[in-house]
Amino acid sequence: MKKAPLKKAVAKAPAAGIVYTIAALDLAGHLFRVSLTVKQPAAIGQILSLPAWIPGSYMIREFSRNIVSIRAECGGKPVALAKLDKHSWQAAPCDGALVVEYDVYAWDLSVRAAHLDQQHGFFNGTSVFLSVLGQESAPHEVNIVQPQDAACKHWRVATTLPELKAKRYGFGSYQAANYDELIDHPVEMGDFALATFKAHGVPHDIVVTGKVPNLDLDRLCRDLKAICETQIAFFEPKSKKAPMDRYVFMTMAVGDGYGGLEHRASTALICARADLPTTASTGTEIGDGYLKFLGLCSHEYFHTWNVKRIKPAAFAPYQLQAESYTPLLWLFEGFTSYYDDLMLVRAGLIDEAAYFKLLGKTVNSVLRGSGRTKQSVADSSFDAWGKYYRQDENAPNAIVSYYTKGSLIALALDLTIRSKTGGAQSLDDVMQALWQRYGRDFYQGTARGVTPAEVEALFDEISGTRMKPFFERYIRGTDDVPLARLLAPFGVKYSDARKAEKPSLDVNLGRDGNDAKLAQVHQGGAAHQAGLSAGDVLVALDGLRVTGNPANLDALLSRHAVGAEVAIHAFRRDELLSFTAVLQGDRVPGVSMAILPVGKKSSGLPRPTAPVL
Ligand code: ZN
């Protein structure tokens, strides 16, 4: 049987009243040129502004400082632009379409801004697209122009912006339903490596920019597919329906680097080349570097649900001109940090022993800093803008990470719910309830975030108990989560093997050439009590030279006993100072966890083989 040919669906151009054209103006000078046409500018004079921060990275970055020149015209005649504040302009009233042209300096090799050279171009909309005040909800169109330079002949485009008049991976025009969507699809252009896999039917691309000899794309696809399918099934156990039509892992490989930023249908990643798998290796084991990369991918992918759709009320909608405060980052970043590693176990990529090794690292990093006794994770979340994102040498003594302590809170809540409900409920049920009530329909109309009170009420509901004391102590308070006690009923032994007999100054050593510069001095430690400060350059310990090699300091210390007095000479700026330190036992925690053999379980619950996995 023959079917009548279907009338070819023609992508209908939205009545975009806002059209951007972005082109590489100068690869060597790292300049994008952006032309913005506003068909119907505001009668009183159109106001335009660039965001001060990018969602997912909670720091004021003032992207407008990279606009190096800007001009406007209407009907071929110049239009005056008045500066209103550091990121806003107002055009003089004009009769007809307003065209604004501006050049953006793009030389920030991070996932947060824009970068352009002969090797590739990358941008977030927050760095390059001025918003048109009053028309943020209207459709936006973007023309991405291929650079004319011969070096760019083979360049392609990777983005999850929906195509308007462009082929997949091609230059041309793309569209967004509104400004919020426009800035949530970063764009990578270059001669990148590309592979595609499907996760529960949804195409996922992995794009890798940067020279990576013998990159094992097949392995990447296989392992990422396992992670993605596990997470899709986690949030939608019945339908296995992903929340997006397609997804892109946009990766920049460099000599040394690490970071990721989540978006609704993609993530921008930066990683060390050595962390990516190579076809030159025949082994199947996952090395530490590749594990770190997979953990990063798992983290950003989990954000597709947790923070890109389930959002704190403060981010619905985002207010991008100034700080946007929420006390809930311990949930949005901490829970994501808890599940990122857990998903690697559930996806079958690592075993329980490897998981507990990762968990041990997190516990030790939380316990290392006394800042955890001064700042709660709720406060750490709220103050992310001025503290977590602006850490100085005193950070270990002053703040707690809502990532790491937040992930331990997730574990503690998971164990508590499992205990209280006899294993019938878990943190998974909380995440699924958050998804169903706040996340699933976020872009389909509800667009409502969750408040701190609603989060707490949900924990009461799922656990069947009043969780306020837990929130007061560990989330709004600064108590350490009692992991040893909580893990015991699940047959997991928690032990701390810190070396009390190892002499220590309790510092983190930095290196300045071959000099030993104190990066951080822990409060209450031997160096602090002796009067040493971060920034001091250690010259000698007991009359012997200290070098920048940490092993050298350890070797010098090891010749003394805990409790011994040692003379220390150090430069502060250019002045030589002398100190007397009383050496302490090592205060670096050495927590490890392991599943006890069956039969040695402590008590209580029927022991599942994998208690929280
Ligand atoms: Zn995150």
Side-chain angles (χ1 to χ4, degrees), residues 262 299-300 303 333 336 403:
E262 66 276 10
H299 180 95
E300 304 307 341
H303 274 315
E333 289 299 347
T336 301
Y403 285 86

Side-chain angles (χ1 to χ4, degrees), residues 89-295:
W89 291 258
Q90 184 165 21
C94 62
D95 193 13
L98 174 71
V99 179
V100 185
E101 192 176 73
Y102 50 102
D103 297 342
V104 182
Y105 183 63
W107 195 235
D108 178 342
L109 190 56
S110 78
V111 294
R112 301 177 296 256
H115 191 257
L116 176 69
D117 66 6
Q118 296 88 335
Q119 272 70 51
H120 87 132
F122 169 80
F123 63 82
N124 284 288
T126 37
S127 282
V128 296
F129 298 137
L130 286 167
S131 69
V132 179
L133 189 77
Q135 299 189 44
E136 295 90 343
S137 305
H140 289 56
E141 187 181 319
V142 180
N143 299 307
I144 305 173
V145 180
Q146 179 157 18
Q148 293 306 300
D149 194 290
C152 312
K153 208 165 72 184
H154 301 293
W155 280 23
R156 292 184 287 180
V157 174
T159 180
T160 43
L161 265 178
E163 294 93 354
L164 179 63
K165 282 178 230 154
K167 288 190 177 143
R168 179 71 37 101
Y169 313 121
F171 289 89
S173 64
Y174 291 78
Q175 61 187 324
N178 49 51
Y179 186 76
D180 181 56
E181 184 182 331
L182 177 74
I183 60 168
D184 205 13
H185 296 282
V187 175
E188 171 72 23
M189 52 181 103
D191 186 11
F192 43 70
L194 168 70
T196 302
F197 61 91
K198 280 194 174 173
H200 287 307
V202 172
H204 287 57
D205 294 335
I206 166 99
V207 167
V208 182
T209 303
K211 285 182 190 158
V212 187
N214 301 316
L215 174 64
D216 193 344
L217 278 170
D218 289 345
R219 177 151 196 208
L220 270 178
C221 284
R222 199 169 62 237
D223 294 342
L224 288 176
K225 179 185 172 79
I227 293 169
C228 296
E229 293 201 331
T230 303
Q231 295 199 18
I232 293 168
F234 172 81
F235 282 101
E236 294 286 2
K238 282 195 190 125
S239 70
K240 313 260 192 309
K241 189 177 177 327
M244 58 338 221
D245 298 332
R246 59 181 290 242
Y247 191 88
V248 177
F249 290 94
M250 209 172 277
T251 312
M252 178 79 197
V254 294
D256 188 23
Y258 176 80
L261 194 60
E262 66 276 10
H263 299 281
R264 70 183 68 181
S266 63
T267 176
L269 307 166
I270 188 160
C271 74
R273 180 179 300 117
D275 292 349
L276 294 171
T278 167
T279 51
S281 149
T282 51
T284 54
E285 78 284 0
I286 293 177
D288 286 349
Y290 186 39
L291 179 58
K292 190 170 144 194
F293 178 72
L294 291 177

Side-chain angles (χ1 to χ4, degrees), residues 232-553:
I232 293 168
F234 172 81
F235 282 101
E236 294 286 2
K238 282 195 190 125
S239 70
K240 313 260 192 309
K241 189 177 177 327
M244 58 338 221
D245 298 332
R246 59 181 290 242
Y247 191 88
V248 177
F249 290 94
M250 209 172 277
T251 312
M252 178 79 197
V254 294
D256 188 23
Y258 176 80
L261 194 60
E262 66 276 10
H263 299 281
R264 70 183 68 181
S266 63
T267 176
L269 307 166
I270 188 160
C271 74
R273 180 179 300 117
D275 292 349
L276 294 171
T278 167
T279 51
S281 149
T282 51
T284 54
E285 78 284 0
I286 293 177
D288 286 349
Y290 186 39
L291 179 58
K292 190 170 144 194
F293 178 72
L294 291 177
L296 176 65
C297 292
S298 180
H299 180 95
E300 304 307 341
Y301 196 71
F302 197 83
H303 274 315
T304 311
W305 293 265
N306 194 34
V307 95
K308 294 313 306 187
R309 287 170 177 82
I310 308 164
K311 297 195 192 207
F315 294 173
Y318 291 119
Q319 304 292 335
L320 296 172
Q321 295 303 306
E323 292 87 346
S324 198
Y325 300 103
T326 170
L328 287 177
L329 295 181
W330 57 269
L331 190 163
F332 291 97
E333 289 299 347
F335 283 27
T336 301
S337 297
Y338 175 58
Y339 278 105
D340 60 19
D341 289 339
L342 211 45
M343 289 296 167
L344 301 182
V345 198
R346 291 184 183 179
L349 294 172
I350 61 171
D351 61 17
E352 291 174 358
Y355 172 72
F356 280 116
K357 211 169 134 193
L358 291 172
L359 185 59
K361 259 191 200 169
T362 306
V363 172
N364 289 325
S365 77
V366 172
L367 294 179
R368 181 74 177 104
S370 62
R372 76 186 199 285
T373 65
K374 296 159 200 156
Q375 190 189 43
S376 68
V377 286
D379 285 343
S380 178
S381 300
F382 194 89
D383 289 332
W385 306 83
K387 292 193 172 181
Y388 187 80
Y389 269 89
R390 297 215 171 154
Q391 293 185 32
D392 59 19
E393 65 288 337
N394 197 43
N397 301 320
I399 65 169
V400 69
S401 161
Y402 49 78
Y403 285 86
T404 50
K405 191 179 173 189
S407 77
L408 300 187
I409 285 169
L411 171 61
L413 284 167
D414 199 357
L415 295 167
T416 302
I417 297 169
R418 287 169 193 263
S419 289
K420 298 275 184 203
T421 63
Q425 304 279 308
S426 72
L427 193 65
D428 294 2
D429 297 284
V430 173
M431 291 313 303
Q432 284 161 9
L434 283 168
W435 171 243
Q436 286 154 21
R437 295 177 200 182
Y438 302 94
R440 196 187 264 155
D441 298 327
F442 186 86
Y443 293 119
Q444 280 80 49
T446 54
R448 197 169 86 74
V450 61
T451 66
E454 287 168 332
V455 167
E456 198 169 324
L458 183 60
F459 275 98
D460 287 357
E461 180 190 325
I462 303 273
S463 68
T465 183
R466 204 168 143 269
M467 294 296 285
K468 191 174 178 195
F470 184 104
F471 276 70
E472 287 295 331
R473 285 187 74 173
Y474 309 115
I475 294 171
R476 291 188 284 273
T478 58
D479 284 8
D480 288 333
V481 285
L483 287 183
R485 177 167 62 75
L486 291 170
L487 282 165
F490 294 89
V492 178
K493 188 171 159 36
Y494 175 105
S495 44
D496 186 351
R498 71 181 71 203
K499 300 184 192 82
E501 73 291 351
K502 188 183 163 198
S504 158
L505 287 174
D506 205 9
V507 294
N508 291 341
L509 207 57
R511 209 169 175 154
D512 187 4
N514 199 28
D515 288 334
K517 192 173 192 171
L518 297 182
Q520 287 159 332
V521 172
H522 288 270
Q523 202 168 42
H528 173 223
Q529 292 191 358
L532 284 152
S533 162
D536 288 352
V537 174
L538 298 186
V539 175
L541 188 139
D542 197 29
L544 293 171
R545 178 162 183 217
V546 180
T547 71
N549 181 352
N552 163 265
L553 179 62

